Amino acid sequence: MVQGATNWNTELTQEWLQNYVDDWVSFYRKHTVDGNVASYIPILQEANRDHLGISIVGKNGMTIRSGDFEVPFTIQSISKVFSFIVACMGRGLSYVLDRVDVEPTGEAFNSIMHLEMTQLKKPFNPMINAGAITVTSMLEGRTSDEKLEPVFQLLERMLDYRPHLNVDAYESERDSSMRNRAIGYYLLETGYLESDLNITLETYFKQCSIEVTLEDLARIGMIIANDGEDPNNKEEIIPRQVARLAKALMLTCGMYDASGKFAAYVGVPAKSGVSGGIIALSPPRVRDEELPFVTGCGIGVYGPALDDKGNSIAGIRLLRHIANQWDLSLF
Amino acid sequence: MVQGATNWNTELTQEWLQNYVDDWVSFYRKHTVDGNVASYIPILQEANRDHLGISIVGKNGMTIRSGDFEVPFTIQSISKVFSFIVACMGRGLSYVLDRVDVEPTGEAFNSIMHLEMTQLKKPFNPMINAGAITVTSMLEGRTSDEKLEPVFQLLERMLDYRPHLNVDAYESERDSSMRNRAIGYYLLETGYLESDLNITLETYFKQCSIEVTLEDLARIGMIIANDGEDPNNKEEIIPRQVARLAKALMLTCGMYDASGKFAAYVGVPAKSGVSGGIIALSPPRVRDEELPFVTGCGIGVYGPALDDKGNSIAGIRLLRHIANQWDLSLF
Amino acid sequence: MVQGATNWNTELTQEWLQNYVDDWVSFYRKHTVDGNVASYIPILQEANRDHLGISIVGKNGMTIRSGDFEVPFTIQSISKVFSFIVACMGRGLSYVLDRVDVEPTGEAFNSIMHLEMTQLKKPFNPMINAGAITVTSMLEGRTSDEKLEPVFQLLERMLDYRPHLNVDAYESERDSSMRNRAIGYYLLETGYLESDLNITLETYFKQCSIEVTLEDLARIGMIIANDGEDPNNKEEIIPRQVARLAKALMLTCGMYDASGKFAAYVGVPAKSGVSGGIIALSPPRVRDEELPFVTGCGIGVYGPALDDKGNSIAGIRLLRHIANQWDLSLF
Amino acid sequence: MVQGATNWNTELTQEWLQNYVDDWVSFYRKHTVDGNVASYIPILQEANRDHLGISIVGKNGMTIRSGDFEVPFTIQSISKVFSFIVACMGRGLSYVLDRVDVEPTGEAFNSIMHLEMTQLKKPFNPMINAGAITVTSMLEGRTSDEKLEPVFQLLERMLDYRPHLNVDAYESERDSSMRNRAIGYYLLETGYLESDLNITLETYFKQCSIEVTLEDLARIGMIIANDGEDPNNKEEIIPRQVARLAKALMLTCGMYDASGKFAAYVGVPAKSGVSGGIIALSPPRVRDEELPFVTGCGIGVYGPALDDKGNSIAGIRLLRHIANQWDLSLF
């Protein structure tokens, strides 16, 4: 925590923060050896496990970039946040929440068991695969491209460019993700799917295969942090209520079955993907002792070496360090 | 949300807030008929299901009281927060966190199943019974009274008086809570108990039977909200790191298997008990549009008619309404 | 039990047994109102829930037929016995048993949960869907018809005619059985499938859609009862070891999650299907007091009104009555 | 299998069988190194893991003894068969079966999970701890000694002497079996206990601590095999219906979560205990090709080195070999 800091000069601060972040990226890069690149989709295995990068985007154009921040990667489960937001914008909150709960489970992301154990068989939350596939089925459109169009439009509004689909990743995913098909057929039987299963899965695999950079994630994070409004031009991109619900879900369920630990030790809303990406964000609320500069910022982290829960091993440690030092925790 | 509010006069504000709260307590009192008083401990059945009360305590002596705020009640599971804090203060955070995880489960508070399903059989978090009993076993002392002494001392420092044990409640609990004994013996076998089982359970039943009023809960909530420091005299009562961890746990795990929904729809750290009490708190961070007055406040709610998760049915609705109107959510 | 019976005249006995069975079919037919016709595959809903029939085939050409014994029906889960036998004959017992366990589960026939809960994720037994689909994947052949050819050949050798596939049932099943597809993809991911999933499921749905009559089931039951040998011409149709293993599996796992109760109260190897058919058999061992005539017999029962476990409600009661009266239990 | 054997001379047969058994006990004794002596009760750890013994008792006084047949041991879970029989004799079958199901579970003997997962929370079967403790609670009497009196009386009638309680084993068990206390409190809460919990557990630990020899087990097995009647003097000791139900339960649930495999590969009713004892029995039914001599025999096996399911590792292999060679399987 940088206590007593009062007169911040933006330029000096940014330089100071940049140096600080550079140091810690170097430090945590050696932690990548403790993790493993995801193997369940062939193309993810091609990632370089030594990579570690971070990007932080805040108000007034503040941008920090460090490490392997230029490596593009597919968003994978991070897309669950975006499809949830788009489904809520398209269908309305109550429609979506009637079909998927918002309760953390303590189970691995690809668990089917919980569906079977509960009476209603309603998916536990939109951040695990069963819930995310249900949410994707609610996207409007007859084809996967029609369904994804509003997702791309949302991203384009936030990023000022339209990210592209990594077709190789999509095909690799489509051809290998058998557990997701199992979940899909399970949902089809229990009646929670709102679209044709194959189109839903096609859409789901495509949304996972959208390619971004860390700066993209940081920018998106900043907008969600600010309740869906771009703090630089005050434009509302996501309805306030939806953005805030997304933040709550990211905090309680965003990091697979390590979400509770992440909330306790890092304390900010975040969502990870098995590609090694993490989107995180700092709340727009101000504490006296805080760096005003990072308030309401968005953070992207990338490190494809994963821990056994499926989260970037060095990425989480880097985030935890920075969040603790800069006092980003909500609590 | 009270947008654009800028020049707040404390006295006027308090009056305005008091009237506002009075109105909504009247409104939500009729929701008590949708719930049921807890039946699993005989003495809890004696509560008046029509009761609903709230107390809010903030900086500069601001206090709001409404409804049945004078009815004393036993804290039940709310004690899990206090024993966790005391165990961390006595044993150190890492000692405690080696023996209990901080992961939400999606299971009912008295579930044993999760213990059996995981490899390590480590309790999922200190806010469910298995974790709370483990935490209680870490309190130092040879007798239940010795173990509880630092809990009472902590409460006394926060409340300026020493709350008493409701002996009838304790005896009723001790003689009827068979599931907790089952959990205790399970933990004893798996090696997670740090004290004699009978003394641990005696301590646990006693901590649940501490009697408080809503103003007590609100004051304690305010101190936890302010990272363990009494905002009026700046005295540190709970170490900052412990208080912040407690807040994170309350948010992700505090409301039984409705914790995710409470985080999404209310958005503040809270812990409920089957007596119908809830302790909640507002973060000390400031948003521009916010009522500065309620920032960093503590809230106590009491309504013994429970929903099927074991939370006060009218109490949650009242809290949700107020948190949304006053924009207390962390997100 | 017909105690002290010694000089049995075949003709008289058969007549006596026939009258006896007729009486009890009439009696138990009224129990069909307590059950419901299967609804999870559309075509099964067309069955007449009032139907109840039985056929018993024993040595020396003894045949008893009663009630709606002429109604053809699809074998559904009864096919699990036949595909298991054929897989063991084609691949060898150890190959099959390396890929599927023989342990009862206490779970519903279509449970996925158990797969996820066990370390190895090996299907529990060939009589539940997960295990049966795994077994079907071991049948040799490139197409579903090639894979089913030895199943048809086995049936033809036992029945002296080749039963046909009910194409409507197959198509209804193929288009509606989403849970089985979920199980299939789950197995594909865990590596227990030995063939292409679509061909495996096509084969599985076809084997379930083979149409038989009660006399067919009774004849097959008689041959399995006699360790795979036709007792009339002493020809070995199924290897002794395979037939005996099939009988053990039918006893411990054949009646879904009512298998234990069926073993306790009826006590003979049996397998049911959701069409309402049951194949059962009497062991070839002799007790002194027994009707020699029914020793080593096969029994087919049909009654499409099912109980909540998926077994013919009147069929089980009729079987229990007869098994108890004629002392057919293994125990 | 000894095919074509027709003119058996009892004396020669017994000698031949004795030699045969001696050979195989020597052979399988080396398998004891693959297992481990039970550690969950301190006193069981004192057993000699190299021990392996067998005793077979049949009609006409036929007795075979081999290996360490003289080592006394406590019956442990084998007592579940006896308490079930006594509860059925005292309370009636329907009373007992209303309170405990007869369904195998696929779970370990000391699982609590299944109780929580089912709606009714009724114990799955009397051969797992939850069911056995429930059965013991149904034994009549105000003290553990009064409750056990009919168990001892039953054993005395079968053995012509009254076996004694191993007090050291009882005390060791009473003081260490925390999981059973957990199960007991769980049952107390769900309402399935018919007596005071402490007296029930005291009774349960005592019944587990009854000391026997292999010849005792073999004699008891022979009587249960013959439907509760001593085949030598035709005296009915256990009602026929109860004895037959016990046999069915032993077959489907007697060998913990290896019961299905034991039924498939050995095929006779049996019950094991963690002391390393197994009681098994051959059915009284006759096949043509069978050794008439062993029909209806009882078998006791002892080998304290256990496999990971809690069954005697060499004992099961020895039993399997003999059952296969002598064609004892029910199937």
Side-chain angles (χ1 to χ4, degrees):
Chain A
M1 202 160 355
V2 188
Q3 278 165 311
T6 42
N7 292 315
W8 291 97
N9 171 298
T10 302
E11 224 166 284
L12 281 180
T13 306
Q14 179 152 350
E15 195 186 320
W16 183 88
L17 292 173
Q18 179 71 50
N19 289 334
Y20 184 89
V21 169
D22 285 343
D23 286 352
W24 289 105
V25 168
S26 299
F27 179 83
Y28 283 106
R29 192 190 296 279
K30 65 179 180 292
H31 288 215
T32 58
V33 301
D34 298 339
N36 289 298
V37 165
S39 60
Y40 89 107
I41 305 167
I43 211 169
L44 293 177
Q45 299 187 61
E46 297 170 13
N48 183 339
R49 67 178 265 173
D50 296 334
H51 277 167
L52 180 65
I54 189 168
S55 178
I56 306 174
V57 170
K59 284 179 278 198
N60 309 321
M62 188 270 283
T63 309
I64 291 160
R65 312 176 178 90
S66 188
D68 305 297
F69 66 89
E70 289 176 311
V71 178
F73 55 91
T74 54
I75 56 175
Q76 301 299 332
S77 288
I78 297 170
S79 70
K80 290 167 179 166
V81 179
F82 310 150
S83 56
F84 175 72
I85 288 171
V86 168
C88 290
M89 290 170 70
R91 297 285 190 178
L93 268 179
S94 67
Y95 182 95
V96 173
L97 297 172
D98 277 355
R99 287 158 179 79
V100 61
D101 208 336
V102 292
E103 208 55 53
T105 71
E107 297 301 319
F109 66 96
N110 58 1
S111 180
I112 292 189
M113 197 166 56
H114 252 86
L115 290 175
E116 192 169 329
M117 283 169 65
T118 56
Q119 219 56 26
L120 287 177
K121 304 188 183 311
K122 187 174 171 180
F124 262 56
N125 69 68
M127 300 292 123
I128 55 167
N129 293 14
I133 291 170
T134 302
V135 165
T136 294
S137 82
M138 298 184 219
L139 298 177
E140 290 170 277
R142 285 157 310 159
T143 66
S144 60
D145 289 334
E146 279 182 34
K147 283 173 174 293
L148 281 181
E149 184 55 29
V151 174
F152 277 109
Q153 282 174 7
L154 176 73
L155 295 174
E156 193 170 2
R157 276 194 75 189
M158 294 195 278
L159 301 178
D160 291 328
Y161 87 101
R162 189 178 172 102
H164 78 281
L165 191 74
N166 181 323
V167 178
D168 289 344
Y170 162 61
E171 287 173 353
S172 181
E173 196 131 354
R174 182 193 61 197
D175 299 342
S176 59
S177 188
M178 298 310 147
R179 181 72 75 94
N180 284 327
R181 287 194 189 275
I183 292 170
Y185 279 106
Y186 198 103
L187 292 167
L188 190 55
E189 193 216 10
T190 53
Y192 280 104
L193 275 202
E194 299 289 308
S195 304
D196 173 82
L197 174 62
N198 281 324
I199 289 172
T200 297
L201 288 174
E202 202 178 293
T203 311
Y204 182 71
F205 296 140
K206 282 185 178 173
Q207 76 181 49
C208 288
S209 303
I210 294 173
E211 198 168 282
V212 297
T213 64
L214 283 179
E215 199 152 330
D216 296 338
L217 287 190
R219 265 198 64 78
I220 297 167
M222 177 187 64
I223 291 164
I224 299 176
N226 289 281
D227 296 348
E229 183 184 283
D230 186 328
N232 297 318
N233 60 15
K234 303 291 174 195
E235 191 188 0
E236 185 193 279
I237 298 178
I238 301 164
R240 180 184 178 85
Q241 206 188 357
V242 173
R244 296 185 77 171
L245 182 54
K247 283 189 273 186
L249 273 167
M250 290 167 79
L251 189 89
T252 55
C253 318
M255 303 299 281
Y256 304 127
D257 43 326
S259 299
K261 279 175 278 296
F262 193 86
Y265 303 136
V266 188
V268 299
K271 181 75 202 83
S272 61
V274 288
S275 53
I278 303 174
I279 186 171
L281 55 93
S282 157
R285 290 166 179 270
V286 182
R287 275 175 186 270
D288 297 340
E289 70 270 28
E290 217 164 34
L291 288 172
F293 203 56
V294 293
T295 297
C297 74
I299 304 174
V301 174
Y302 174 66
L306 307 180
D307 61 24
D308 59 355
K309 306 292 191 187
N311 295 316
S312 174
I313 195 160
I316 281 198
R317 291 172 189 178
L318 176 63
L319 255 176
R320 179 178 178 171
H321 183 87
I322 288 175
N324 288 345
Q325 288 300 309
W326 297 356
D327 196 22
L328 301 182
S329 165
L330 294 178
F331 301 105
Chain B
M1 201 160 356
V2 187
Q3 278 164 315
T6 42
N7 291 316
W8 289 97
N9 172 298
T10 301
E11 225 165 284
L12 282 181
T13 306
Q14 179 151 347
E15 194 186 321
W16 183 88
L17 292 172
Q18 178 70 51
N19 290 335
Y20 184 88
V21 169
D22 285 341
D23 285 353
W24 289 105
V25 167
S26 299
F27 179 83
Y28 283 106
R29 193 189 298 277
K30 64 177 177 294
H31 289 215
T32 57
V33 301
D34 299 339
N36 289 298
V37 165
S39 61
Y40 87 110
I41 305 169
I43 209 168
L44 294 175
Q45 298 187 61
E46 298 169 14
N48 183 339
R49 67 179 265 174
D50 295 333
H51 278 168
L52 180 64
I54 188 167
S55 178
I56 306 175
V57 172
K59 281 180 281 198
N60 308 323
M62 187 271 282
T63 308
I64 292 160
R65 312 176 177 90
S66 190
D68 305 298
F69 66 90
E70 289 176 307
V71 178
F73 55 91
T74 55
I75 56 176
Q76 300 299 333
S77 287
I78 297 171
S79 71
K80 290 168 178 166
V81 179
F82 310 150
S83 56
F84 175 72
I85 288 172
V86 168
C88 290
M89 289 170 71
R91 297 284 192 179
L93 267 178
S94 67
Y95 181 95
V96 173
L97 298 172
D98 277 356
R99 286 159 179 80
V100 62
D101 207 337
V102 292
E103 208 55 55
T105 71
E107 297 301 320
F109 66 95
N110 58 359
S111 180
I112 293 191
M113 197 167 57
H114 251 87
L115 290 175
E116 191 169 329
M117 284 171 64
T118 57
Q119 220 54 27
L120 286 178
K121 304 188 182 314
K122 187 175 171 178
F124 264 55
N125 69 66
M127 299 292 121
I128 55 167
N129 294 15
I133 292 170
T134 302
V135 165
T136 294
S137 81
M138 297 185 220
L139 298 178
E140 290 171 277
R142 285 159 309 160
T143 65
S144 61
D145 289 334
E146 278 182 34
K147 282 173 175 293
L148 281 182
E149 184 55 30
V151 174
F152 277 108
Q153 283 174 7
L154 176 72
L155 295 174
E156 193 171 0
R157 276 194 75 188
M158 295 195 279
L159 302 178
D160 291 328
Y161 87 101
R162 189 178 173 103
H164 78 282
L165 190 75
N166 181 323
V167 177
D168 289 344
Y170 162 61
E171 287 172 355
S172 181
E173 196 131 355
R174 182 192 61 195
D175 297 342
S176 60
S177 186
M178 297 312 146
R179 183 71 76 93
N180 284 328
R181 288 192 188 275
I183 292 171
Y185 279 105
Y186 198 103
L187 292 167
L188 190 56
E189 194 216 9
T190 54
Y192 279 104
L193 273 204
E194 299 290 307
S195 305
D196 173 80
L197 173 61
N198 282 323
I199 289 171
T200 297
L201 288 174
E202 200 177 295
T203 312
Y204 182 71
F205 296 139
K206 281 185 179 173
Q207 77 180 48
C208 289
S209 304
I210 294 172
E211 197 168 282
V212 296
T213 64
L214 283 178
E215 198 153 329
D216 295 337
L217 287 190
R219 265 197 64 78
I220 297 168
M222 176 186 65
I223 290 165
I224 299 175
N226 289 280
D227 298 348
E229 185 184 282
D230 185 327
N232 296 319
N233 60 16
K234 303 293 175 194
E235 191 189 359
E236 186 193 280
I237 298 178
I238 301 164
R240 181 184 177 86
Q241 207 188 355
V242 172
R244 297 185 76 171
L245 183 53
K247 284 189 272 185
L249 272 167
M250 290 166 79
L251 189 88
T252 56
C253 318
M255 303 299 282
Y256 305 128
D257 44 325
S259 299
K261 279 175 279 297
F262 192 87
Y265 303 136
V266 187
V268 299
K271 182 74 202 84
S272 61
V274 287
S275 51
I278 303 175
I279 185 171
L281 55 93
S282 156
R285 291 166 179 273
V286 182
R287 278 175 182 269
D288 296 342
E289 70 270 25
E290 218 162 33
L291 287 172
F293 202 56
V294 293
T295 297
C297 74
I299 305 174
V301 175
Y302 174 67
L306 308 180
D307 61 24
D308 60 355
K309 306 293 190 186
N311 295 316
S312 172
I313 196 160
I316 282 198
R317 292 172 189 178
L318 176 63
L319 256 177
R320 179 177 179 172
H321 183 87
I322 289 176
N324 289 347
Q325 288 302 308
W326 297 357
D327 197 23
L328 301 183
S329 166
L330 295 179
F331 302 105
Chain C
M1 202 160 357
V2 189
Q3 278 165 312
T6 42
N7 291 316
W8 290 96
N9 172 297
T10 302
E11 224 165 283
L12 283 180
T13 306
Q14 178 151 350
E15 196 186 319
W16 183 88
L17 293 173
Q18 179 70 51
N19 290 335
Y20 184 88
V21 169
D22 285 342
D23 287 352
W24 288 105
V25 167
S26 301
F27 179 84
Y28 283 106
R29 192 190 297 279
K30 66 177 177 294
H31 289 215
T32 58
V33 301
D34 300 337
N36 289 298
V37 165
S39 61
Y40 88 109
I41 305 168
I43 209 168
L44 294 176
Q45 297 186 62
E46 298 169 14
N48 183 337
R49 67 179 266 172
D50 295 334
H51 277 167
L52 180 65
I54 189 168
S55 177
I56 305 174
V57 171
K59 282 178 280 198
N60 308 321
M62 186 271 282
T63 307
I64 292 160
R65 312 175 179 89
S66 189
D68 305 297
F69 67 89
E70 288 175 311
V71 177
F73 55 91
T74 55
I75 56 176
Q76 301 299 333
S77 288
I78 298 171
S79 71
K80 290 168 179 167
V81 178
F82 310 150
S83 56
F84 175 73
I85 289 171
V86 168
C88 290
M89 289 170 72
R91 297 286 190 177
L93 267 179
S94 67
Y95 182 95
V96 173
L97 297 172
D98 278 354
R99 287 158 180 79
V100 62
D101 207 336
V102 292
E103 207 56 51
T105 71
E107 297 301 320
F109 66 95
N110 58 0
S111 180
I112 294 190
M113 198 165 57
H114 251 85
L115 289 175
E116 192 170 329
M117 282 170 64
T118 56
Q119 218 54 27
L120 288 177
K121 305 189 181 311
K122 188 175 171 179
F124 262 56
N125 69 66
M127 300 292 123
I128 55 167
N129 293 15
I133 292 170
T134 302
V135 165
T136 294
S137 81
M138 298 184 217
L139 298 178
E140 290 171 277
R142 286 158 309 161
T143 65
S144 61
D145 289 334
E146 279 181 35
K147 283 174 174 293
L148 281 182
E149 184 55 30
V151 174
F152 277 108
Q153 283 174 6
L154 176 74
L155 295 173
E156 193 170 2
R157 276 194 74 190
M158 295 195 279
L159 302 177
D160 291 327
Y161 89 101
R162 188 178 174 102
H164 78 281
L165 190 74
N166 181 323
V167 177
D168 289 343
Y170 162 62
E171 288 173 354
S172 180
E173 195 131 356
R174 183 193 60 196
D175 298 341
S176 60
S177 187
M178 297 312 147
R179 182 71 75 93
N180 284 328
R181 288 194 187 273
I183 292 171
Y185 279 105
Y186 198 103
L187 292 168
L188 191 54
E189 193 216 10
T190 52
Y192 279 104
L193 274 203
E194 300 288 308
S195 303
D196 173 82
L197 173 61
N198 282 323
I199 290 172
T200 297
L201 287 175
E202 200 177 295
T203 311
Y204 182 71
F205 295 139
K206 281 185 177 172
Q207 77 181 48
C208 289
S209 304
I210 294 172
E211 197 168 283
V212 298
T213 64
L214 282 179
E215 197 152 332
D216 295 338
L217 287 190
R219 264 198 63 77
I220 297 168
M222 176 187 65
I223 291 164
I224 298 176
N226 289 280
D227 297 348
E229 185 185 281
D230 185 328
N232 297 318
N233 61 16
K234 302 293 173 195
E235 191 187 1
E236 185 192 280
I237 298 178
I238 301 164
R240 179 184 179 85
Q241 206 188 357
V242 173
R244 296 185 76 171
L245 182 54
K247 283 188 274 186
L249 272 167
M250 291 166 78
L251 189 88
T252 55
C253 319
M255 302 301 279
Y256 306 127
D257 43 326
S259 299
K261 279 175 278 297
F262 192 87
Y265 303 136
V266 188
V268 300
K271 181 77 202 82
S272 61
V274 286
S275 52
I278 303 174
I279 186 172
L281 55 92
S282 157
R285 288 166 180 272
V286 182
R287 277 176 184 269
D288 296 342
E289 70 269 28
E290 216 163 36
L291 289 171
F293 202 55
V294 293
T295 296
C297 73
I299 305 174
V301 173
Y302 174 67
L306 308 181
D307 60 25
D308 60 355
K309 306 291 189 186
N311 295 316
S312 173
I313 197 160
I316 282 198
R317 292 173 188 178
L318 176 63
L319 254 176
R320 179 178 178 171
H321 183 88
I322 289 176
N324 288 345
Q325 288 301 309
W326 296 356
D327 195 23
L328 300 183
S329 166
L330 294 178
F331 302 104
Chain D
M1 204 159 356
V2 189
Q3 279 165 312
T6 41
N7 291 316
W8 291 96
N9 172 298
T10 302
E11 224 166 283
L12 281 180
T13 306
Q14 177 151 350
E15 193 186 322
W16 182 88
L17 292 173
Q18 178 71 52
N19 289 335
Y20 183 88
V21 168
D22 285 342
D23 286 352
W24 289 106
V25 167
S26 299
F27 179 83
Y28 283 106
R29 192 189 298 278
K30 64 178 179 292
H31 288 216
T32 57
V33 300
D34 299 340
N36 289 298
V37 165
S39 61
Y40 89 108
I41 305 168
I43 210 168
L44 293 176
Q45 297 187 62
E46 297 170 13
N48 183 338
R49 68 179 265 174
D50 295 334
H51 277 167
L52 181 64
I54 188 169
S55 178
I56 306 174
V57 171
K59 282 178 280 198
N60 308 322
M62 188 270 283
T63 308
I64 293 160
R65 310 177 179 90
S66 190
D68 304 298
F69 66 89
E70 287 174 310
V71 178
F73 55 91
T74 55
I75 55 175
Q76 301 297 334
S77 287
I78 298 171
S79 71
K80 291 167 177 165
V81 179
F82 309 149
S83 55
F84 175 73
I85 289 171
V86 169
C88 291
M89 290 169 71
R91 297 284 191 179
L93 267 178
S94 67
Y95 182 96
V96 173
L97 297 171
D98 277 355
R99 286 157 181 80
V100 60
D101 207 337
V102 293
E103 209 54 54
T105 72
E107 297 302 320
F109 65 95
N110 58 0
S111 181
I112 293 191
M113 196 166 58
H114 251 86
L115 290 175
E116 192 170 330
M117 285 170 63
T118 56
Q119 219 57 25
L120 286 178
K121 305 190 182 310
K122 188 174 169 180
F124 263 56
N125 69 67
M127 300 291 122
I128 55 167
N129 293 14
I133 292 170
T134 302
V135 165
T136 294
S137 81
M138 298 183 218
L139 298 178
E140 290 170 278
R142 285 159 307 159
T143 65
S144 61
D145 289 335
E146 278 183 34
K147 282 173 175 293
L148 281 181
E149 185 54 30
V151 174
F152 277 108
Q153 282 174 7
L154 176 74
L155 295 174
E156 192 170 2
R157 275 194 76 188
M158 294 195 279
L159 302 178
D160 291 328
Y161 87 101
R162 189 178 174 102
H164 78 281
L165 190 75
N166 181 323
V167 177
D168 289 343
Y170 162 61
E171 287 172 355
S172 181
E173 198 131 353
R174 183 194 60 195
D175 298 342
S176 60
S177 188
M178 297 312 146
R179 182 70 75 93
N180 284 329
R181 285 192 190 274
I183 293 171
Y185 279 106
Y186 199 103
L187 293 167
L188 190 55
E189 193 215 10
T190 53
Y192 279 105
L193 275 205
E194 299 290 308
S195 305
D196 173 81
L197 173 60
N198 282 323
I199 290 170
T200 297
L201 288 174
E202 200 178 296
T203 312
Y204 182 70
F205 296 140
K206 280 185 179 173
Q207 77 180 48
C208 288
S209 304
I210 294 172
E211 197 168 282
V212 297
T213 64
L214 284 178
E215 199 152 330
D216 295 338
L217 288 190
R219 265 197 65 77
I220 297 168
M222 176 186 65
I223 290 164
I224 299 176
N226 289 281
D227 298 349
E229 182 185 286
D230 185 328
N232 296 319
N233 60 17
K234 302 294 176 195
E235 190 189 1
E236 186 193 279
I237 298 177
I238 301 165
R240 180 185 178 86
Q241 207 188 355
V242 173
R244 296 185 76 171
L245 182 54
K247 284 189 273 184
L249 272 168
M250 291 166 78
L251 190 88
T252 56
C253 318
M255 303 299 281
Y256 304 129
D257 43 326
S259 298
K261 281 176 276 297
F262 192 86
Y265 303 137
V266 187
V268 299
K271 181 75 202 82
S272 61
V274 286
S275 52
I278 303 174
I279 185 171
L281 55 93
S282 157
R285 290 166 179 274
V286 183
R287 278 175 182 272
D288 295 343
E289 70 269 28
E290 217 162 36
L291 288 171
F293 202 55
V294 292
T295 297
C297 74
I299 305 176
V301 174
Y302 174 65
L306 307 180
D307 60 25
D308 60 354
K309 306 293 190 188
N311 295 316
S312 174
I313 196 161
I316 282 198
R317 292 173 189 177
L318 176 63
L319 255 177
R320 179 177 179 172
H321 182 88
I322 289 175
N324 290 346
Q325 288 301 309
W326 296 358
D327 197 23
L328 301 184
S329 166
L330 294 178
F331 301 105

